[in-house]
Amino acid sequence: MPSRRRALLKVIILGDSGYVNKKFSNQYKATIGADFLTKEVQFEDRLFTLQIWDTAGQERFQSLGVAFYRGADCCVLVYDVNVMKSFDNLNNWREEFLIQASPSDPENFPFVVIGNKIDVDGGNSRVVSEKKARAWCASKGNIPYFETSAKEGTNVEDAFQVIAKNALKSGEEEEIYLPDTVDVASSSQQRSTGCEC
Amino acid sequence: MMISNGIEDEEKWLAEGIAGIQHNAFYLHRALDANNLREALKFSAQLLSELRTSRLSPHKYYELYMRAFDELRRLEMFFKDEDRHGCSVVDLYELVQHAGNILPRLYLLCTVGSVYIKSKEAPAKDVLKDLVEMCRAVQHPIRGLFLRSYLAQVSRDKLPDIGSEYEGEGDTVMDAVEFVLQNFTEMNKLWVRMQHQGPLREKEKLEKERNELRDLVGKNLHVLSQIEGVDLEIYRDTVLPRVLEQIVNCKDELAQYYLMDCIIQVFPDEYHLQTLEILLGACPQLQPTVDLKTVLSQLMERLSNYASSSPELLPEFLQVEAFSKLSNAIGKVIEAQADMPIVGAITLYVSLLTFTLRVHPDRLDYVDQVLGACVKKLSGKPKLEDSKATKQVVALLSAPLDKYDDIVTALTLSNYPRVMDHLDAGTNKVMAMVIIRSIMKNKTCVSTSDKVEVLFELIKGLIKDLEGISTDELDEEDFNEEQNSVACLMHMLYNDDPEEMLQIICTVWKHIKAGGPKRLPFTVPPLVFSALKLVRRLQGQDGDVAGEEVPATPKKIFQLLNQIIEALSVVPSPELALRLYLQCAEAANDCDLEPVAYEFFTQAFVLYEEEVADSKAQVTAIHLIIGTLQRMNVFGVENRDTLTHKATGYSAKLLKKPDQCRAVYACSHLFWVDDQDGIKDGERVLLCLKRSLRIANAAQQMANVTRGSSGPLTLFVEILNKYLYFFEKGNPQITSSVIQGLIELIKTEMQSDSTTANHASDAFFTSTLRYIQFQKQKGGAMGEKYDPIKL
């Protein structure tokens, strides 16, 4: 029974540099509000539907807040290897996520870190080394780390495999809800406000 | 209290709503696990009923919506799996329409609709059209906006886009575009209408809520930007005009500002560049209160970033005439928004200038054009007093300096000084300092008198008193800093050609002579030294030989120098003037211009006699005079006698005896110049030294009388050292026996009771004796010379 539920995985992508148009893009196109795409991933003979939520990155296009973090199975933190600040901000994004999504076991919540745009300027403009990024990931409880190039999207598939695996292995347990009385007749209809729309 | 109650109530309502959703979700999950379609529909409809509330603010409603949204994803997966419920998607589409309430019914319909499209049993465009029409049934703004944003979200990956599986068989990108545009239009109407609902006193709260909802509307534009099939042509001919039409016609300030911002941010740069005219054309049609300066600034910033991403893009910018289009649009916006404060207009020009400098750094004419437009806007108005506006003008004027690292470029901009003219005196000075700092930082050499003329016109706020501000009101520290900067600046004005350099000096002089008594002491010395530098350059060339018509001759420069230094008399600053005269005299000496050098000395002496009254200043001055005069070799006997006579005369007339003594023995050097052709008048040297001894004696006796003890013997030891100097230099008048006598004299005096013990003078004497001892032991000619002196 729970296995079927896990077939749908909610993934939140956070970071200063966005995941746009099914690939990590170089071109700047703002995202408005939260936006999700679905992606099917095959893992160990099973098909998973990933619900990938991308965020605006810019606060001014986040007017309704971040209620969509709730119920996430995995959080992907993305930074631009050419921009130190985007790496420095990873910690803020991680903490912000844990506060807003309030998962039941924040210590073991599955994150993935992606260093993006490694191909820009043939790698010459890179300012965050892989070693540094991996060290940070290790310090935060061995977060899996991937690097991708915006143009070719290399390693993105691998990342999604790991996301599926992690979400399956140690992902958020369902919020267990038990009704006070199992009484089908007493629904919440009484509270409805009269109007029929 | 009322507010906190309101918040508490809202929390309660939200909690109730969440509980309702969780409750029904529990049964929904059970129904899904049991593959019970009927039950699943029933509980999902009940679950969705929670979204019918009108009591939550958009933020809280969003939380509730997200919970329902997550449940609907499971339901959607269930719907997809026909094996589980045994009902075809076509039937399902009919079935869900039996839900009792309209809002749950439409959420379910959209959910099935998305499965329906995915099944491809009906053309995507028909289903989409149906859904977007059906949603009209909900006209409550918050509920309607969320419902439609749900529709936008679930249909998002099922639009008949190029390369998508839903394209073809009559379904085209245009259908996708039509669908999103329609949804956008409906949402915008709901959103704009919201402000008219509810009582007037809640207007502020309503505006806040509307603002929170904005991203739901903007989301549609994001969806449009993500449709791959929306190429430039479709964007230019359909998407942009339709979106702009909606924006312009809704006549709502909040919507207009936000949606313009969205367009700029979500669509790609090259689209903006190719459709500038259309986008900018909408700006003057917007409400006059829309903050267009921010909108346009962001557009220009995007375009600048785009241009700097690759040099290959520049021809495109030129081809579409981006600059003139932006420039025109800004002009029209400023015209249309008559109430826009001046700061807004200038901010727009700053953005345009930033764009120009980044995209077309070589086009100085563009830069000048922007400045010119700014002048036009400012002209006919009183000088700016709004501090924000002046700040923007400073930003405007600083931008070219930062960009070109070179003031000279800015000096060629004809409108640059005209903009500066509109600044108040204080800001004018701030700007002048920015200019000077830029020159100093970049070590820019300003090399023609024309440029110097423009430059000094620009910084005139520092050079002379401007109307309205007198130097008395200024903070002294600031004033000194400013004037020091001007002084530094003068060293950056240089040309290798002496004639041009003289022109530069004359130009500077023309400007600074009006500076008044407070500025001249700062500005005159650097100019004098600059002129003297030029003199030294000419000195080797012997300009006079070439004929009368050479303009830059040392003689001519000295005439100018005379004028410049004379100007200090208004300060008055006799000590400074005296020093400068002496500098000039020395330069004239090196140019072999005896009369000129004599004239400068005369000026210095006149100042000494008439202006330098303070005894300390006199001491300093007399030593300077002696020092300079000693180095002069241009004078004939007669002139020299006159001057040395004067100098020794002044020395003997100083007020304090020790000062007299020291000045007089210093005069001894005037008669003994230690080089090949130097004057060597041993007799007069001795006369000076003897005279200084007499004065030292007199000083000693005077001290005895007035204080009961004589002062230290320092003066005697100093004189002894002078004797030794001339002794070694071979002055025949200074013999070993004279020295012997002086040593004995000092020794006796030291043992006398009346002499105050003084460690410093004792040590001085001891080391002098040690020196003599050393010279004696050294042997050779010098040793022999010293031999007769017995210690």
Side-chain angles (χ1 to χ4, degrees):
Chain A
M1 186 171 79
S3 63
R4 183 157 64 235
R5 290 187 191 161
R6 288 260 72 93
L8 180 68
L9 296 174
K10 184 168 177 178
V11 178
I12 311 284
I13 296 184
L14 296 178
D16 293 355
S17 112
Y19 171 88
V20 181
N21 211 11
K22 301 181 193 174
K23 59 177 183 276
F24 290 93
S25 165
N26 268 335
Q27 195 189 29
Y28 172 73
K29 270 191 193 173
T31 306
I32 310 254
D35 184 31
F36 85 75
L37 294 158
T38 51
K39 187 177 175 68
E40 313 246 288
V41 174
Q42 186 86 22
F43 180 70
E44 289 179 354
D45 301 332
R46 287 180 54 193
L47 199 63
F48 291 91
T49 304
L50 295 188
Q51 198 185 91
I52 301 168
W53 289 79
D54 190 13
T55 61
Q58 288 194 52
E59 224 160 81
R60 73 174 195 272
F61 293 129
Q62 206 70 273
S63 66
L64 278 169
V66 291
F68 62 92
Y69 287 4
R70 209 195 61 87
D73 296 293
C74 177
C75 175
V76 181
L77 303 171
V78 186
Y79 76 97
D80 182 339
V81 299
N82 308 294
V83 182
M84 186 52 84
K85 196 161 184 296
S86 71
F87 178 73
D88 293 338
N89 279 341
L90 286 183
N91 213 29
N92 297 340
W93 284 114
R94 182 176 172 274
E95 278 169 17
E96 164 81 4
F97 176 81
L98 291 175
I99 290 167
Q100 297 291 345
S102 52
S104 51
D105 183 9
E107 289 300 307
N108 293 310
F109 185 86
F111 283 95
V112 168
V113 171
I114 292 183
N116 191 23
K117 303 190 187 180
I118 52 169
D119 54 341
V120 170
D121 193 20
N124 288 326
S125 59
R126 181 168 186 153
V127 289
V128 183
S129 71
E130 186 176 344
K131 197 176 153 201
K132 184 171 178 169
R134 286 195 185 279
W136 185 82
C137 289
S139 75
K140 298 291 170 193
N142 286 320
I143 301 178
Y145 178 74
F146 295 91
E147 298 203 332
T148 67
S149 75
K151 260 184 217 135
E152 284 145 31
T154 48
N155 296 333
V156 174
E157 287 305 316
D158 298 347
F160 284 123
Q161 287 285 320
V162 168
I163 290 164
K165 187 176 122 194
N166 283 355
L168 194 64
K169 191 174 64 188
S170 61
E172 274 293 276
E173 285 307 313
E174 287 294 304
E175 267 179 59
I176 310 274
Y177 175 83
L178 286 174
D180 299 338
T181 50
V182 186
D183 181 1
V184 183
S186 84
S187 68
S188 56
Q189 287 297 324
Q190 291 96 322
R191 288 190 296 107
S192 75
T193 47
C195 147
E196 286 302 304
C197 66
Chain B
M1 271 315 279
M2 267 186 67
I3 295 168
S4 75
N5 271 344
I7 291 169
E8 277 166 31
D9 284 349
E10 227 197 319
E11 289 293 343
K12 201 180 80 199
W13 294 323
L14 175 62
E16 280 176 18
I18 291 175
I21 287 183
Q22 284 178 328
H23 179 87
N24 287 300
F26 175 80
Y27 292 106
L28 172 63
H29 297 171
R30 280 219 317 209
L32 296 180
D33 291 338
N35 293 334
N36 185 335
L37 177 63
R38 210 177 60 85
E39 288 283 291
L41 290 179
K42 175 183 158 190
F43 285 107
S44 51
Q46 285 183 16
L47 180 151
L48 288 163
S49 288
E50 295 299 336
L51 293 179
R52 294 168 62 213
T53 179
S54 306
R55 297 194 285 197
L56 296 178
S57 70
H59 251 103
K60 301 286 182 215
Y61 191 92
Y62 183 51
E63 269 186 55
L64 208 58
Y65 164 88
M66 272 317 300
R67 298 212 175 222
F69 184 94
D70 285 346
E71 299 305 333
L72 287 175
R73 300 283 63 71
R74 296 177 178 189
L75 188 65
E76 186 184 25
M77 291 190 65
F78 174 70
F79 284 161
K80 268 185 207 161
D81 204 346
E82 199 186 316
D83 292 345
R84 282 171 62 192
H85 52 73
C87 187
S88 78
V89 69
V90 185
D91 292 341
L92 214 48
Y93 196 70
E94 291 301 318
L95 196 59
V96 293
Q97 304 201 29
H98 294 295
N101 289 313
I102 191 136
L103 192 70
R105 192 192 309 155
L106 289 172
Y107 270 103
L108 288 173
L109 196 66
C110 290
T111 312
V112 180
S114 114
V115 178
Y116 197 3
I117 300 172
K118 212 168 164 59
S119 75
K120 293 178 199 155
E121 288 187 30
K125 78 168 174 195
D126 293 350
V127 180
L128 292 172
K129 199 168 164 46
D130 197 34
L131 292 174
V132 81
E133 292 288 340
M134 299 278 259
C135 285
R136 277 183 204 270
V138 179
Q139 288 294 320
H140 180 276
I142 296 188
R143 292 198 288 270
L145 284 168
F146 275 97
L147 172 66
R148 284 186 177 276
S149 94
Y150 181 73
L151 173 61
Q153 183 65 67
V154 295
S155 61
R156 167 95 166 71
D157 53 354
K158 293 163 191 88
L159 299 174
D161 192 3
I162 282 178
S164 97
E165 51 184 316
Y166 309 102
E167 194 204 6
E169 293 181 40
D171 282 354
T172 66
V173 172
M174 286 312 287
D175 295 314
V177 170
E178 277 304 328
F179 164 74
V180 182
L181 280 174
Q182 197 182 339
N183 202 37
F184 164 72
T185 308
E186 292 299 326
M187 284 179 88
N188 195 37
K189 282 181 186 163
L190 285 173
W191 188 42
V192 171
R193 201 191 308 138
M194 190 177 161
Q195 65 187 310
H196 306 302
Q197 297 180 342
L200 205 64
R201 62 192 153 79
E202 286 188 9
K203 200 169 162 48
E204 204 174 309
K205 183 174 159 251
L206 217 56
E207 278 302 287
K208 190 176 156 272
E209 293 195 355
R210 281 189 67 212
N211 200 25
E212 286 174 6
L213 290 164
R214 62 179 192 238
D215 285 347
L216 298 179
V217 185
K219 179 66 165 271
N220 290 292
L221 300 183
H222 174 245
V223 172
L224 283 170
S225 78
Q226 298 292 309
I227 300 176
E228 298 249 348
V230 174
D231 54 17
L232 178 59
E233 200 180 326
I234 295 179
Y235 177 74
R236 185 190 58 214
D237 298 342
T238 309
V239 174
L240 185 60
R242 293 272 297 276
V243 171
L244 287 176
E245 187 191 357
Q246 179 57 222
I247 294 176
V248 169
N249 290 340
C250 80
K251 298 202 188 314
D252 175 66
E253 182 190 342
L254 176 63
Q256 291 185 333
Y257 171 73
Y258 172 72
L259 293 171
M260 287 301 279
D261 189 24
C262 281
I263 292 181
I264 291 165
Q265 298 302 324
V266 301
F267 289 105
D269 304 299
E270 68 253 41
Y271 286 16
H272 292 318
L273 189 58
Q274 297 298 333
T275 57
L276 263 183
E277 212 153 5
I278 307 174
L279 183 62
L280 294 171
C283 291
Q285 301 178 55
L286 302 179
Q287 298 302 103
T289 42
V290 174
D291 178 12
L292 277 172
K293 70 174 191 306
T294 308
V295 170
L296 289 175
S297 300
Q298 264 152 8
L299 173 65
M300 287 186 275
E301 196 189 326
R302 271 210 79 162
L303 291 176
S304 316
N305 287 339
Y306 180 51
S308 48
S309 69
S310 162
E312 289 150 32
L313 292 167
L314 189 62
E316 257 181 77
F317 277 79
L318 291 170
Q319 196 214 331
V320 304
E321 295 179 321
F323 172 77
S324 64
K325 279 178 187 161
L326 286 166
S327 176
N328 280 338
I330 286 170
K332 281 192 183 131
V333 163
I334 291 172
E335 215 170 282
Q337 300 199 344
D339 291 336
M340 186 196 282
I342 193 95
V343 58
I346 302 169
T347 309
L348 272 172
Y349 287 125
V350 172
S351 304
L352 179 59
L353 187 67
T354 314
F355 169 85
T356 310
L357 291 170
R358 286 185 66 187
V359 182
H360 306 290
D362 53 329
R363 294 297 297 261
L364 281 174
D365 54 330
Y366 285 177
V367 177
D368 210 25
Q369 222 173 300
V370 179
L371 294 175
C374 202
V375 170
K376 213 171 129 201
K377 179 72 194 167
L378 290 169
S379 64
K381 297 207 167 58
K383 290 210 171 176
L384 287 172
E385 271 164 17
D386 170 10
S387 65
K388 279 185 193 150
T390 50
K391 227 177 182 170
Q392 285 299 319
V393 176
V394 170
L396 186 79
L397 292 171
S398 303
L401 301 183
D402 293 344
K403 175 70 192 179
Y404 295 115
D405 294 348
D406 178 4
I407 181 76
V408 175
T409 313
L411 295 180
T412 59
L413 301 167
S414 66
N415 283 310
Y416 200 94
R418 295 172 60 199
V419 177
M420 274 193 82
D421 279 345
H422 288 279
L423 293 170
D424 63 288
T427 316
N428 201 305
K429 286 206 287 189
V430 170
M431 200 52 232
M433 287 294 278
V434 171
I435 292 172
I436 294 180
R437 270 187 220 117
S438 160
I439 293 177
M440 302 311 294
K441 192 183 108 216
N442 301 305
K443 301 195 167 54
T444 312
C445 176
V446 183
S447 62
T448 68
S449 60
D450 291 348
K451 284 178 186 161
V452 170
E453 176 71 38
V454 179
L455 174 63
F456 273 72
E457 196 54 42
L458 286 181
I459 63 166
K460 63 179 173 224
L462 300 179
I463 302 301
K464 56 188 175 207
D465 291 347
L466 293 182
E467 274 170 63
I469 287 196
S470 91
T471 47
D472 305 336
E473 297 162 20
L474 298 170
D475 178 74
E476 198 182 319
E477 236 173 80
D478 288 350
F479 180 80
N480 289 354
E481 196 199 327
E482 285 163 13
Q483 296 309 309
N484 279 326
S485 299
V486 175
C488 290
L489 174 67
M490 287 195 209
H491 297 291
M492 306 310 288
L493 318 174
Y494 181 82
N495 194 310
D496 269 332
D497 173 38
E499 279 175 43
E500 191 60 42
M501 188 63 210
L502 182 58
Q503 271 315 112
I504 290 176
I505 292 167
C506 290
T507 307
V508 173
W509 175 231
K510 188 184 83 190
H511 284 273
I512 67 165
K513 69 177 162 192
K518 285 206 154 181
R519 292 189 183 83
L520 285 170
F522 289 94
T523 49
V524 162
L527 186 63
V528 166
F529 281 101
S530 178
L532 288 176
K533 239 195 238 171
L534 178 60
V535 167
R536 305 248 176 234
R537 258 201 286 156
L538 291 169
Q539 186 182 308
Q541 298 172 7
D542 222 348
D544 267 347
V545 183
E548 299 81 56
E549 286 309 301
V550 182
T553 63
K555 222 182 235 170
K556 198 161 173 174
I557 299 166
F558 283 124
Q559 284 163 12
L560 180 63
L561 279 165
N562 229 324
Q563 277 180 39
I564 296 174
I565 302 170
E566 218 178 296
L568 287 173
S569 65
V570 304
V571 179
S573 182
E575 286 122 69
L576 177 60
L578 185 138
R579 280 165 192 263
L580 294 173
Y581 279 132
L582 293 176
Q583 287 287 345
C584 291
E586 207 170 340
N589 175 75
D590 296 344
C591 293
D592 237 357
L593 295 170
E594 184 180 4
V596 177
Y598 190 83
E599 173 62 20
F600 282 122
F601 258 99
T602 313
Q603 297 285 5
F605 283 177
V606 169
L607 278 178
Y608 181 84
E609 283 176 8
E610 292 175 2
E611 308 282 339
V612 184
D614 175 71
S615 60
K616 254 190 193 156
Q618 283 183 342
V619 173
T620 313
I622 199 71
H623 281 282
L624 283 168
I625 290 173
I626 295 166
T628 311
L629 190 51
Q630 200 260 351
R631 285 191 293 275
M632 305 296 281
N633 54 23
V634 74
F635 293 131
V637 180
E638 203 172 311
N639 280 340
R640 191 177 174 87
D641 274 356
T642 313
L643 295 173
T644 48
H645 184 74
K646 274 275 172 199
T648 42
Y650 296 150
S651 301
K653 284 194 196 96
L654 287 170
L655 179 65
K656 292 181 185 162
K657 290 283 173 195
D659 290 338
Q660 270 183 25
C661 170
R662 289 187 172 109
V664 169
Y665 72 60
C667 282
S668 65
H669 288 286
L670 294 175
F671 305 105
W672 192 280
V673 179
D674 191 32
D675 57 31
Q676 232 176 358
D677 314 313
I679 179 171
K680 290 189 175 58
D681 188 342
E683 224 162 296
R684 292 177 76 175
V685 168
L686 188 62
L687 276 175
C688 283
L689 295 179
K690 278 186 171 162
R691 193 164 176 189
S692 69
L693 264 179
R694 277 204 302 280
I695 299 168
N697 254 324
Q700 198 75 349
Q701 277 162 18
M702 207 187 273
N704 252 332
V705 173
T706 53
R707 294 183 203 160
S709 71
S710 50
L713 290 163
T714 319
L715 284 174
F716 288 97
V717 187
E718 285 170 20
I719 297 167
L720 171 62
N721 275 279
K722 287 287 160 200
Y723 269 92
L724 289 176
Y725 171 82
F726 289 109
F727 179 62
E728 286 184 11
K729 294 294 172 194
N731 183 336
Q733 301 295 319
I734 313 290
T735 60
S736 57
S737 60
V738 176
I739 290 170
Q740 185 80 53
L742 187 51
I743 293 172
E744 299 307 327
L745 173 79
I746 295 170
K747 279 185 175 164
T748 324
E749 282 290 326
M750 283 177 101
Q751 275 138 28
S752 132
D753 293 335
S754 59
T755 307
T756 331
N758 179 293
H759 183 70
S761 61
D762 286 358
F764 189 15
F765 184 56
T766 314
S767 61
T768 306
L769 294 182
R770 205 184 308 128
Y771 174 77
I772 296 169
Q773 190 62 40
F774 171 77
Q775 292 291 58
K776 281 163 74 83
Q777 285 169 357
K778 204 165 73 175
M782 198 51 80
E784 250 167 61
K785 209 170 159 58
Y786 270 98
D787 194 48
I789 301 174
K790 300 281 176 276
L791 294 176

